[in-house]
Amino acid sequence: MDERSPAQVYALVIGLTLVVAGIAGFFYSASFSSGDGTERDAVLGILDVNGWHNVVHIASGAIGLAVVGSYRGARAYALGLGVVYLLATLLGFIAGDGDEILNLVPVNTEDNLLHLLIGLAGVGAGLATPATERHPPRARTAAAS
């Protein structure tokens, strides 16, 4: 592969970032409690996390890293993760600052804004990547001339 598509770049950058963020999140909160008032801590004092939130980040990032070499897989990942993160943004804003999505994943306004950016970037990268891979024209050889 000579050049990565926008979706492949997204899968690599977001995949790696989410895996690292998920692992780092366990240093702040590894609680898998659920329900109202779910135990949480804020990464760098900004982003609310708990064990469930960390697992979601690691899993969604690992999928991106697994498909980065596949043109179609990376496009599907970018579009799919983009839509999922936009849905998470909507659910997060509905839940409200300092509440949880599905009584499991703690979110705050900063999380929601970050999820919005990840979602928009995913949809953008997916749409910027044509459905079928374009191959560069092959160079003519001297024998073919």
Side-chain angles (χ1 to χ4, degrees), residues 3-145:
E3 188 175 310
R4 288 192 168 115
S5 69
Q8 289 172 304
V9 171
Y10 176 85
L12 177 63
V13 171
I14 294 300
L16 186 59
T17 300
L18 288 174
V19 168
V20 169
I23 292 168
F26 277 111
F27 289 99
Y28 289 88
S29 177
S31 171
F32 285 94
S33 64
S34 61
D36 286 339
T38 297
E39 188 178 329
R40 68 184 74 215
D41 198 357
V43 174
L44 303 174
I46 301 170
L47 304 167
D48 283 354
V49 296
N50 69 357
W52 297 112
H53 204 153
N54 299 329
V55 167
V56 168
H57 285 160
I58 292 169
S60 59
I63 293 168
L65 294 176
V67 301
V68 75
S70 166
Y71 183 91
R72 288 182 8 185
R75 184 174 188 271
Y77 171 80
L79 289 169
L81 190 74
V83 168
V84 167
Y85 269 69
L86 290 174
L87 179 59
T89 301
L90 178 63
L91 293 174
F93 279 125
I94 290 170
D97 188 37
D99 213 340
E100 302 85 27
I101 297 174
L102 304 175
N103 283 332
L104 290 174
V105 179
V107 291
N108 60 18
T109 301
E110 293 85 353
D111 284 311
N112 293 331
L113 293 174
L114 184 57
H115 293 159
L116 176 64
L117 293 174
I118 292 170
L120 291 174
V123 171
L127 293 176
T129 302
T132 57
E133 187 173 6
R134 295 184 186 147
H135 298 285
R138 293 184 180 177
R140 289 184 154 175
T141 62
S145 301

